[in-house]
Amino acid sequence: MRDDELRALTGACAKCGTCRTVCTLYPERKAEISVARGKIALIDASLEGKDTNLDAVQEALADCLLCGRCERACPNQVLVEEIIMKGRADAARGIGIPAWKQVVFGRVMPSPKGREAAVSAAAAAQRLFAREIPSASGLHYRFPEKFGLSGRTVPKLPKKGFIASLKPKEAVSGDVLLFVGCVFDHVFPQVGRASYETMKISGSDIAVFRDAACCGLPAMVSGDRDASLRCAEENIRRLRAAEPEKIVFPCGSCLLMFKRNLFSLIPEKHELRSDAVEVSNRCVDYAGFILGSGVVSRLPDPPEGEKVGEIGYHDPCHLTGTLGKGQEAREVLREAVGSSFAEMKGADLCCGYGGTFNIRDYPTSARIGRNKISAAAEGGAKVVATACSGCILQLRDMAARTDPGMEIVHLAELVAKALSRR
Amino acid sequence: MTENAISALRAIFGERLRTSLEDRICYSYDATGKEFLPDAVAWPLNPEEIRRTVLLANEHLFPVVPRGAGSGFSGGSLPVRGGVVISTERMDRILSIDSENLVAVVEPGVVTERLKEEAKKQGLYYPPDPASLKFCTIGGNLAECAGGMCAVKYGVTRDYVLGLEAVLGTGELVRTGVCTVKGVVGYDLTRMLVGSEGTLGIITKATLKLIPLPETAATLLAFFPSNEKGARAVAGIVQERITPCALELMDRTAVECVRRMADLSLPEGTGCALLIEVDGLEASVAREADRVEEACLRFGAIEVRKAADAAGRDNLWKLRRSISPAVRQVNPVKINEDIVVPRSRLVEMFAFLSDLSERQDLKIVNFGHAGDGNIHVNIMISGKDEDERGRADKAVEAVFRKTVELGGTISGEHGIGIAKAPYMEMEVGPLGVSVMKRLKNCFDPNGILNPGKIFLEESAVRR
Ligand SMILES: Cc1cc2nc3c(=O)[nH]c(=O)nc-3n(C[C@H](O)[C@H](O)[C@H](O)COP(=O)(O)OP(=O)(O)OC[C@H]3O[C@@H](n4cnc5c(N)ncnc54)[C@H](O)[C@@H]3O)c2cc1C
Ligand code: SF4
Ligand code: SF4
Ligand code: SF4
């Protein structure tokens, strides 16, 4: 490791230990190496040229959910997420990024076509190898043991994604652009659809960003900044050409990429910097749009009474935590479902997904996720709404395994349901 | 450490012993920012494993360094001579909370706040509340005799320890003290161990005293034009015959560093802020809060704000608790002293400090537990300038001299560790040091436990 920028960032850590109190992983590991302070010390040691083993450092940096809880609690405003992502990139430069990640992020993600192909290949593989398991919340597939994914339930991939299901002339131009994100396009197209249909109620012309590249977050958190940058550049160019007034994100993680991480990829001197700022300023979260554009005022009154507390909201770390957008979703929920909504215990705790962390250490990821589901169930929640693709993947898997009666939905699906009562 | 010693340790701990450089780096620091690599890190789960470790250490002569959360400010948990760090973070069970006898029995790795919360659920109160309470451990608190915001009314960790279980430097497991309120059988070994910074024994269990939870509390934030004015108000409040449960002073720079945490605006001309909390019965708290407010205004407060609800109070506390790490925004290197002077001499001390800061051209940030005369004097330096370093060292010494001259002590709560070892004699004298060394010899004849701490000639680091 040799990054001066990185050194400047880690220098702000006072080694106080505050980050131990909030770390999602610490209760699981009970070791310093799992908290921000330890990881920062490791990066520093590597930067100083100490004889660290780069594999071990990379391993330690990978052992993090990037939930950002440490960063928000840090009294010194140490940019932990940035440090860990940069550290991962530096380590990756030293020892390389696993080949499968390079293929996915380097070639597939920036191009919608390539991604389409990869996703259908995955769906085919699932159909070949997976066997169906019953579940009240929908159909899930369980990968066979030899995949190393023992016990995991994954959503059955639909044959057609949301964008593919649009009619040729549907949602092609408008002042407001919907950035669906690949998960809500390919895996849960119903979320893409619900977002689109509910946004239309605003009266604005809604276009769907059909040729979006991946937002670039998965590549970035894996330390592949080049691939991430390519995604970002593609998106910025296309968005600048389309000139929408607003770009709306149903996925909190995609939004984080545009609101914040973009600027670490595209520094001050980059030729696209001003375009990036321009694009970023126009990006909003789904709930914020629904609130601000008058959709909620057109929602019918929610049915009164009997189901108090049956619907809860899980705060996606990136959306509520890092971007501070937690109240908007709650206000939308109150309008859409009324008293059925109540705060659940530990609403702001990380679901344990953490992008690639879920693949890297599934048992731990699952333990954290199960705790979340149990806390929600204890409080009487039957439906948990949220607004991030990763959280939905995780919570559905966990609910299927521990509390199959619990439904995990995107906020937009509840808004759509409320509208259907009109 | 030798290969043999490591493999003998591995036989005890298995996977719970780590020797990779990466794992050792993560146990090489504490909140002082200094670093010393241990040879190994072990996570015991019970006293027996610790006992066997210390026996091995006596056989192979390697250092054993106990560590809680590594939040210490005097370098107590730094393995200055290498050896094995014994991290208590996995011995974190609350064994019992007895609401009839008002005692709690806990393992050393329990995080202080967790004990406070569990006690609260039963209407009980464990008062010690260092600003690090969300992460520091009971073991670390006992070993440092940590104080906190509420020391002015409720005392410090020492005042809540009834009995201990500890592994001595000989590898013997002793039980000290009682589990009753009274007890006078022989020497007070419990108090010997409290504040001994892990040099006499490794605490494996503690019996702690609880008290009934105060019914309610009110929190005020008062702004003053200067530290001196604030210090006068501290005396004024005490003369009102009110004992607040917190009486914290923060100078202007300290408040500036943490304003963001509490989303706070400062009134014009602020030179210092006092955070005051009163607790007790519903009926008395409101009246006391009013009287505190009046006293503050009488002593020249520019403005007094009251936190109306629990969220507001939390916000004010977050402000105070974040100061310590956040003052590094002033300058990267923090020389952090925690002197105590008699409350009546605070004004004099502040005058001395502002004069010193000017004279030596140093940035000095002051905050702390003014109610008990405990000021955290933080000399903030760039760390790059030799001359500045020299002036800072001189300033530290001057602060200590002045403190002792005013009848104070050079460490109220952070302990000696490696940071204050050079100055200890200044306060306790050569005989004091010599008696302490003789005691150390009884508890730990081979010098296994946390070597290089407290005593000067054994201090591996000098400033
Ligand atoms: C932001 C911040 C605020 C702070 N505020 C305060 C404050 O208000 N008041 C205060 O008093 N301190 C304060 N401190 C200092 C520190 O938190 C305390 O000294 C605390 O008691 C240390 O606890 P720890 O668990 O982190 O112990 P460590 O730092 O790990 O260890 C401290 C000492 O205890 C020894 N030790 C640890 N466990 C055991 C054991 N089981 N048996 C024997 N010895 C053991 C270690 O060897 C070492 O000498 C603050 C620190 C920070 C970072
Ligand atoms: S809370 Fe911030 S300053 Fe403190 S140890 Fe963690 S990262 Fe460092
Ligand atoms: S980002 Fe989350 S998991 Fe990672 S160190 Fe910070 S708090 Fe822990
Ligand atoms: S964050 Fe996830 S859902 Fe969003 S575009 Fe990137 S890969 Fe797709």
Side-chain angles (χ1 to χ4, degrees):
Chain A
M1 290 198 195
R2 56 201 142 75
D3 196 325
D4 283 345
E5 268 175 59
L6 193 48
R7 198 188 307 266
L9 291 172
T10 57
C13 172
K15 299 281 187 296
C16 65
T18 305
C19 43
R20 285 167 65 102
T21 60
V22 291
C23 179
T24 304
L25 217 47
Y26 182 68
E28 294 289 327
R29 304 279 193 257
K30 290 200 182 146
E32 276 285 321
I33 200 163
S34 80
V35 300
R37 179 169 69 162
K39 295 181 204 296
I40 290 173
L42 274 182
I43 292 176
D44 270 340
S46 308
L47 289 171
E48 278 162 27
K50 293 222 177 86
D51 198 13
T52 45
N53 173 338
L54 219 46
D55 277 315
V57 174
Q58 195 182 39
E59 183 66 16
L61 296 181
D63 200 34
C64 165
L65 292 146
L66 283 181
C67 62
R69 293 175 61 84
C70 47
E71 180 170 314
R72 295 191 290 283
C74 174
N76 267 344
Q77 293 152 273
V78 173
L79 299 175
V80 183
E81 284 180 78
E82 182 76 22
I83 290 173
I84 291 177
M85 287 191 290
K86 274 216 159 84
R88 286 179 183 179
D90 267 20
R93 271 208 295 278
I95 56 185
I97 296 166
W100 66 269
K101 282 188 182 167
Q102 272 181 21
V103 173
V104 176
F105 301 135
R107 289 214 288 280
V108 179
M109 296 295 217
S111 121
K113 280 240 168 54
R115 197 171 55 199
E116 194 83 58
V119 171
S120 16
Q126 269 188 40
R127 279 195 290 275
L128 276 177
F129 292 113
R131 90 194 130 82
E132 221 173 338
I133 53 148
S135 145
S137 58
L139 291 175
H140 291 272
Y141 280 94
R142 191 191 285 267
F143 272 110
E145 215 108 309
K146 62 182 166 192
F147 271 72
L149 294 166
S150 152
R152 185 196 307 251
T153 65
V154 292
K156 178 183 180 180
L157 294 183
K159 290 207 187 86
K160 222 176 202 175
F162 162 62
I163 293 179
S165 77
L166 289 167
K167 295 184 195 80
K169 292 243 172 67
E170 199 181 359
V172 281
S173 68
D175 305 331
V176 178
L177 199 54
L178 170 62
F179 188 107
V180 202
C182 60
V183 174
F184 295 153
D185 181 6
H186 297 290
V187 187
F188 305 121
Q190 67 275 24
V191 174
R193 178 56 74 179
S195 309
Y196 171 61
E197 297 297 340
T198 52
M199 282 163 64
K200 275 201 308 199
I201 305 299
S202 67
S204 306
D205 280 333
I206 314 290
V208 172
F209 187 11
R210 290 172 187 248
D211 55 353
C214 170
C215 65
L217 188 68
M220 187 164 180
V221 301
S222 300
D224 192 346
R225 293 176 84 87
D226 292 341
S228 187
L229 180 61
R230 280 200 298 281
C231 294
E233 286 173 346
E234 284 300 326
N235 280 324
I236 291 171
R237 290 214 174 86
R238 289 171 200 165
L239 287 167
R240 279 306 264 161
E243 279 292 336
E245 205 175 283
K246 278 197 177 89
I247 309 151
V248 180
F249 291 77
C251 171
S253 291
C254 307
L255 182 64
L256 175 76
M257 190 64 216
F258 281 84
K259 277 294 193 200
R260 185 168 142 170
N261 293 1
L262 202 56
F263 299 105
S264 129
L265 288 173
I266 300 186
E268 298 281 0
K269 50 201 181 297
H270 194 288
E271 47 156 357
L272 281 179
R273 176 72 177 206
S274 60
D275 289 328
V277 173
E278 191 57 40
V279 165
S280 178
N281 285 341
R282 297 179 189 191
C283 293
V284 297
D285 67 303
Y286 169 80
F289 176 79
I290 292 294
L291 262 187
S293 61
V295 174
V296 288
S297 57
R298 289 183 212 163
L299 289 173
D301 282 341
E304 275 306 314
E306 71 267 17
K307 297 194 297 181
V308 177
E310 277 197 356
I311 299 180
Y313 182 72
H314 158 71
D315 283 303
C317 296
H318 293 158
L319 191 63
T320 304
T322 316
L323 296 174
K325 303 262 164 219
Q327 279 323 306
E328 290 83 344
R330 288 171 167 77
E331 274 174 51
V332 169
L333 267 178
R334 275 187 209 105
E335 293 297 329
V337 303
S339 61
S340 312
F341 167 70
E343 284 296 334
M344 27 179 242
K345 203 172 115 202
D348 67 337
L349 294 181
C350 172
C351 68
Y353 188 71
T356 48
F357 181 85
N358 174 269
I359 300 169
R360 186 184 169 273
D361 184 355
Y362 184 64
T364 304
S365 173
R367 261 198 312 278
I368 299 169
R370 278 203 304 263
N371 291 342
K372 185 97 214 187
I373 296 290
S374 322
E378 248 171 61
K382 295 221 160 69
V383 178
V384 175
T386 191
C388 169
S389 56
C391 305
I392 293 187
L393 280 167
Q394 168 81 338
L395 294 178
R396 285 207 181 175
D397 181 15
M398 294 309 133
R401 306 179 53 172
T402 54
D403 190 349
M406 186 178 285
E407 226 185 308
I408 311 295
V409 297
H410 190 281
L411 192 59
E413 295 176 272
L414 293 181
V415 176
K417 202 162 148 194
L419 282 169
S420 72
R421 286 198 306 267
R422 287 208 297 187
Chain B
M1 279 170 76
T2 60
E3 283 296 322
N4 279 348
I6 298 272
S7 36
L9 276 176
R10 199 171 298 285
I12 302 176
F13 292 103
E15 265 297 288
R16 284 182 283 113
L17 182 83
R18 291 300 176 94
T19 53
S20 80
L21 177 59
E22 291 71 32
D23 284 299
R24 291 185 290 131
I25 285 172
C26 291
Y27 288 83
S28 68
Y29 51 73
D30 68 358
T32 55
K34 297 196 173 75
E35 286 166 28
F36 295 89
L37 267 188
D39 297 301
V41 186
W43 289 269
L45 298 178
N46 54 54
E48 180 56 18
E49 288 177 347
I50 298 183
R51 210 180 61 78
R52 286 170 63 197
T53 304
V54 175
L55 288 176
L56 270 182
N58 276 289
E59 189 184 320
H60 297 268
L61 296 178
F62 59 79
V64 178
V65 183
R67 176 185 166 105
S71 72
F73 273 144
S74 54
S77 65
L78 298 177
V80 294
R81 304 256 174 90
V84 60
V85 165
I86 292 289
S87 171
T88 62
E89 61 202 321
R90 298 183 194 176
M91 287 174 73
D92 64 349
R93 290 177 305 163
I94 295 179
L95 299 170
S96 68
I97 291 181
D98 176 347
S99 58
E100 196 173 340
N101 295 305
L102 301 183
V103 292
V105 180
V106 302
E107 292 188 327
V110 168
V111 169
T112 310
E113 185 180 55
R114 216 184 106 221
L115 173 62
K116 290 171 81 79
E117 291 199 329
E118 290 302 318
K120 196 169 169 186
K121 284 185 193 158
Q122 307 204 20
L124 300 175
Y125 187 34
Y126 175 70
D129 62 342
S132 48
L133 67 94
K134 283 181 187 298
F135 42 99
C136 65
T137 67
I138 294 289
N141 290 172
L142 288 164
E144 299 287 5
C145 187
M149 321 291 173
C150 73
V152 55
K153 178 166 178 181
Y154 293 106
V156 295
T157 302
R158 178 189 291 125
D159 301 310
Y160 294 86
V161 196
L162 296 171
L164 294 175
E165 178 190 90
V167 175
L168 302 183
T170 51
E172 295 158 298
L173 187 77
V174 293
R175 292 191 182 81
T176 73
V178 291
C179 55
T180 51
V181 173
K182 296 174 174 175
V184 284
V185 181
Y187 298 143
D188 193 343
L189 294 179
T190 309
R191 289 212 168 194
M192 268 310 307
L193 286 166
V194 173
S196 68
E197 306 187 24
T199 61
L200 302 182
I202 302 180
I203 296 160
T204 51
K205 203 184 278 176
T207 305
L208 304 169
K209 181 169 89 178
L210 304 173
I211 60 175
L213 188 69
E215 209 172 273
T216 187
T219 313
L220 300 93
L221 188 63
F223 300 92
F224 292 87
S226 67
N227 289 340
E228 283 78 7
K229 281 255 161 60
R232 264 184 230 289
V234 168
I237 291 165
V238 175
Q239 270 156 21
E240 280 288 307
R241 282 170 289 112
I242 296 171
T243 309
C245 59
L247 190 35
E248 295 289 308
L249 182 141
M250 305 163 255
D251 74 8
R252 183 181 171 102
T253 322
V255 182
E256 285 288 352
C257 289
V258 289
R259 252 166 69 178
R260 175 191 68 97
M261 308 290 298
D263 197 10
L264 186 82
S265 62
L266 296 187
E268 184 128 357
T270 297
C272 147
L274 285 185
L275 176 67
I276 308 144
E277 185 162 284
V278 287
D279 70 356
L281 298 174
E282 203 83 61
S284 60
V285 163
R287 261 190 59 210
E288 288 194 350
D290 288 343
R291 277 169 57 198
V292 167
E293 185 177 7
E294 283 160 26
C296 287
L297 292 171
R298 198 155 8 96
F299 280 89
I302 307 169
E303 190 187 323
V304 183
R305 294 180 198 165
K306 274 190 204 163
D309 52 14
R313 284 182 48 211
D314 272 0
N315 216 12
L316 293 183
W317 279 110
K318 192 156 76 188
L319 180 85
R320 169 61 187 90
R321 293 207 172 101
S322 308
I323 289 185
S324 182
V327 292
R328 278 178 38 119
Q329 291 159 28
V330 175
N331 244 339
V333 178
K334 173 167 111 170
I335 302 175
N336 162 357
E337 306 302 349
D338 69 319
I339 54 157
V340 192
V341 296
R343 214 159 23 213
S344 58
R345 314 298 290 268
L346 271 176
V347 177
E348 227 171 308
M349 193 68 207
F350 278 120
F352 172 80
L353 287 169
S354 65
D355 179 56
L356 182 71
S357 148
E358 219 160 277
R359 213 163 10 113
Q360 297 283 11
D361 185 23
L362 289 166
K363 288 191 174 132
I364 304 185
V365 185
N366 303 298
F367 61 91
H369 318 302
D372 38 59
N374 189 182
I375 318 168
H376 294 278
V377 178
N378 294 272
I379 303 176
M380 309 305 303
I381 59 174
S382 66
K384 291 181 188 127
D385 176 350
E386 274 302 309
D387 184 56
E388 187 189 36
R389 179 44 100 166
R391 279 180 280 131
D393 284 346
K394 275 212 199 88
V396 167
E397 189 160 345
V399 170
F400 287 161
R401 285 208 189 286
K402 185 75 183 176
T403 304
V404 175
E405 185 191 309
L406 293 177
T409 176
I410 64 172
S411 176
E413 46 184 35
H414 295 162
I416 296 298
I418 56 175
K420 290 204 184 89
Y423 307 104
M424 201 168 73
E425 229 181 78
M426 195 191 268
E427 183 175 326
V428 300
L431 181 60
V433 171
S434 150
V435 174
M436 287 187 199
K437 280 189 181 161
R438 281 179 253 165
L439 278 166
K440 161 84 178 168
N441 205 36
C442 289
F443 281 80
D444 180 22
N446 285 325
I448 298 303
L449 290 181
N450 212 354
K453 309 297 163 65
I454 300 186
F455 302 114
L456 181 57
E457 60 266 42
E458 284 166 38
S459 174
V461 181
R462 294 181 196 206
R463 277 206 299 244

